[in-house]
Amino acid sequence: MTAELVRGQNHPLPETRLEIRVSAGSPVLAGATLGDEQGRVAGEEWIAHPGTPALPGVDVPGRTAADHRLAVDLDAVPGAVHRVSVLLALAGGADRFGALAAPFVAVSGPDGAEIASYTITGLDRESAVVALELYRRQGAWKVRAMGQGYEGGLAALLGDQGLERPEELAATILAAGAPERDLPAEAPVPRVPQVERVHQPTAPAPDPAPASVPDPTPPAAAGGPISYAHPGRRTEAPAPAPEPRQAPPVPVAGDASGWSMDERLYNQVWGMFEDLARTAAAYRSACDFAESRLDRELDETLTDYRARAGGANDAARAAARARHDELVERAREVLDRDLAQLAAESEVVEPALPVAYARWDNPVWHAYRVPDEEPMAVRLGDLHLPERTDLRIPMLVRLPLERGLWVDSGRGHSEAAALLDEVELRRLALDSAVAHAARLLAAYPAGGFTVHLVDPAGAGAAALAPLVETGAAAPPARGAAGVSAVLEQLTERVDLLQMAQRGGAADALPPGLDTARQLLIVHDFPHGFDDRAVTRLRYLADEGPSVGVHLMMVAAREDAAAYGPLLDPLWRSLLRLTPVPDDHLADPWVGHAWSYEPPLLPPGSAVLRQVLTQVASARHGKRF
């Protein structure tokens, strides 16, 4: 059964030898790029286009046409290739896809059976588009519907994939694909990859696969499970008949690409996040499709006056609801299957996470030692979706931080916050900030991270005590004078470092300047802040991260309402975290609102103070 994909949705590929059929209704150029894990293409030699139609594992048509067939052998692509992007570009006739019928792309197996299809809708002024992406995930290949258009044409597309001189390269490719008008029109014949032509030079080209009618079943109902099996190597013998689908093997921690175990685990967690987003999007898309189809069919029964007599309308409505229920049930089965596999992976990955990625209740914290180098990321909480709230994905934020943090002590729209009084909510917010600061301190080598505290009224003394009493941070600045002194010191630091960077004179910095990254925790804002202090705070939020000065605000936005829109850029520049569960983190790619959960310490746990004590002792040369 064909999976009809929507933009951003993926689908497992049961075969590695594929045929990609393109129907555009107008002459287009079809090609493919071979990219790394980030989608970057190393050079023009990694582009299959009419001028160079054959690359290892990929073969594309040699001229512009309205219909194309591309041949792909994923077992034959180089090991460094993790993404094969199928691109289309207008090359004559219309100058934008919006003036044409929506292009249709289908992926078929070697037997001609369609695996997935995608109709590229929503294009307007774009003249080039990445239609599909075949990507490698834990050794298994998947197809993703992209539909990423470019108004700047093929040059903009190639530049987005990291290629140099994209304008010249695009002109060369378009010229190579120019149609040869004196050639007779022929039905498109599928090509075989270059590897096939080398090993089987006398083999005849296969007959064109018959065009199959796209199945109206949406992708979630037809999608396969998340596969963790590594594809088998291609042999000279003919491919055997497909075996019955077996249950996926047990996932393994660190089963992702990377130079170190930490990097592999980071990439695996990111892959889990992506898979959860995709499978939930597929399920929601299937449910929306079922609802819209039911509404349409019910409307049709009402408009057919001839069927009103004799109970035909009742039978039609019952049949429509039965089809709706069947489709939703099938979609739920696929969702549950994928969620179960992700839950199994999470159970394996979570205990294997290093300190920087682990929950506070992970035993790895009891063996904590100050690291010798900075990790890739740090865990700032968990994320989940309503389809399965107990499946939590670690929220890993890359280091060094690219933006400041804001622990929101206001009520916002959270149901959990509405159940707490204002005093309790503010206490939880500062406790969360201290836990985040402890994680950052624990992630850096000895002396690599310094924390400054600002508590103008002294209201946060109890919550800040673990940082101060262990010696991990100096006592907080209090009063307007203390706030001004800390802000002035850090502002001067940012100015000095920026001037040194721009002038290439890092050796000219004052000899006593602390080279560690700095974190300023601001509590009870805007109490104790005058206009000058607020201006400096905004400056630190905007300019500080580039030179290692970071800001963590513990505040409620409504407390600073007197400043009006003046502080809007400040709030927008910070990553908002909450002390209680909240669904404020939006995912624009698939439209989800992720629920965030803060990293809470187990009740009565002493691990926070133990870690901070080791951090402070290592800073003073006393290693445990």
Side-chain angles (χ1 to χ4, degrees), residues 263-294:
E263 184 178 359
R264 292 197 295 271
L265 287 169
Y266 173 84
N267 290 334
Q268 186 170 12
V269 169
W270 178 253
M272 292 166 59
F273 170 84
E274 184 183 68
D275 277 345
L276 178 56
R278 306 289 182 191
T279 191
Y283 171 70
R284 296 178 187 183
S285 176
C287 292
D288 291 343
F289 175 85
E291 290 292 338
S292 63
R293 188 176 67 176
L294 176 63

Side-chain angles (χ1 to χ4, degrees), residues 158-183:
L158 298 176
D160 193 39
Q161 295 192 355
L163 288 156
E164 298 180 355
R165 300 189 300 276
E167 294 82 5
E168 301 176 13
L169 185 56
T172 302
I173 294 174
L174 292 173
E180 301 178 21
R181 301 184 181 276
D182 55 341
L183 292 178

